[in-house]
Amino acid sequence: MNLLCDKTPETITVSGVDYKINTDFRVWIKFELILTEQIDDTLSAEILAEIQRLIFKEPCPMNEETVEAILNFYRCGKPPEKHSGGGDDKAVFDYDFDDGYIYAAFLEQYGIDLNDANLHWWKFRALFMSLRADCMFTKILGYRTMPITSKMSTADRNFYQRMKKLYALPLPQSVQEKYNAIEEALLSGKSVDELI
């Protein structure tokens, strides 16, 4: 599939049958949020049913082939990204937390009001990946990913540490709850052995 030569797909093919799907970018953002909320890599029957209701306009069997077809559509027809194993794979943005910055970036750069837009997921992703470096959203991504090194001046190091703290993503709820439990135990003089 090539966005320059082909029309964006409106269906997913499973066992040779085309199933109509919701292609709106909002649906696929919700899909990504469902995936990122998963603590492990397994999808329960409950989650698969939720994904089926979200994505398909008509009933489709949920099996391994269907899941792979969904993931292929989600990746905009591209193969999965390969990671070298080095570096940090933690998230640098969050559609829920950064919604206002993303909304403003699309409005400023493309004149697209995402509240009113009827935009295919693949088109949204192409525009999203091409946001200018001078918009606030991409500046924030730069702050979050900036490596702080000893080669920086003290002023630069202090600035980027402040920016990282100011624009940090919130901790996942499960991690925050664990931190809260440890803090509560420490403040009340209880042992934290079972919490660690």
Side-chain angles (χ1 to χ4, degrees):
M1 169 63 200
N2 182 322
L3 272 178
L4 302 176
C5 303
D6 304 311
K7 287 197 173 269
T8 51
E10 301 290 324
T11 61
I12 286 178
T13 304
V14 178
S15 300
V17 178
D18 289 339
Y19 293 92
K20 289 187 182 284
I21 59 168
N22 293 310
T23 61
D24 186 79
F25 73 98
R26 294 168 193 85
V27 167
W28 292 91
I29 288 174
K30 289 176 186 175
F31 172 74
E32 183 171 318
L33 292 171
I34 290 169
L35 292 184
T36 56
E37 289 171 1
Q38 295 306 302
I39 295 171
D40 55 26
D41 290 336
T42 59
L43 295 174
S44 68
E46 212 172 81
I47 298 297
L48 287 173
E50 182 180 353
I51 289 170
Q52 185 179 36
R53 283 189 302 274
L54 182 66
I55 292 173
F56 291 98
K57 291 184 175 183
E58 55 190 295
C60 176
M62 286 300 282
N63 55 39
E64 194 172 319
E65 182 185 359
T66 307
V67 171
E68 187 52 45
I70 290 169
L71 291 173
N72 184 59
F73 183 88
Y74 167 72
R75 293 187 305 260
C76 303
K78 307 295 184 207
E81 290 181 14
K82 294 185 179 176
H83 297 282
S84 62
D88 195 350
D89 281 341
K90 77 177 189 180
V92 295
F93 77 93
D94 179 276
Y95 283 117
D96 277 336
F97 188 73
D98 294 319
D99 60 335
Y101 296 118
I102 296 168
Y103 174 86
F106 270 72
L107 191 58
E108 177 186 330
Q109 184 168 334
Y110 304 120
I112 297 173
D113 184 332
L114 291 175
N115 276 322
D116 300 332
N118 181 12
L119 195 57
H120 191 283
W121 170 244
W122 291 19
K123 293 175 184 179
F124 170 84
R125 286 296 296 169
L127 295 170
F128 183 81
M129 291 186 304
S130 299
L131 288 169
R132 287 191 314 254
D134 65 343
C135 76
M136 191 62 192
F137 176 64
T138 53
K139 285 181 185 178
I140 289 169
L141 296 183
Y143 295 145
R144 289 177 184 160
T145 59
M146 174 65 68
I148 298 175
T149 66
S150 58
K151 295 178 183 177
M152 291 178 161
S153 70
T154 302
D156 282 349
R157 228 180 359 263
N158 290 340
F159 173 77
Y160 286 114
Q161 285 172 339
R162 275 195 322 275
M163 294 300 104
K164 279 182 178 289
K165 187 175 182 179
L166 179 64
Y167 294 112
L169 290 172
L171 293 171
Q173 186 175 352
S174 60
V175 174
Q176 186 62 54
E177 287 170 358
K178 188 171 186 172
Y179 282 163
N180 292 346
I182 292 170
E183 182 180 27
E184 186 178 314
L186 289 172
L187 290 173
S188 62
K190 296 178 182 173
S191 172
V192 295
D193 292 342
E194 68 277 353
L195 298 173
I196 297 178

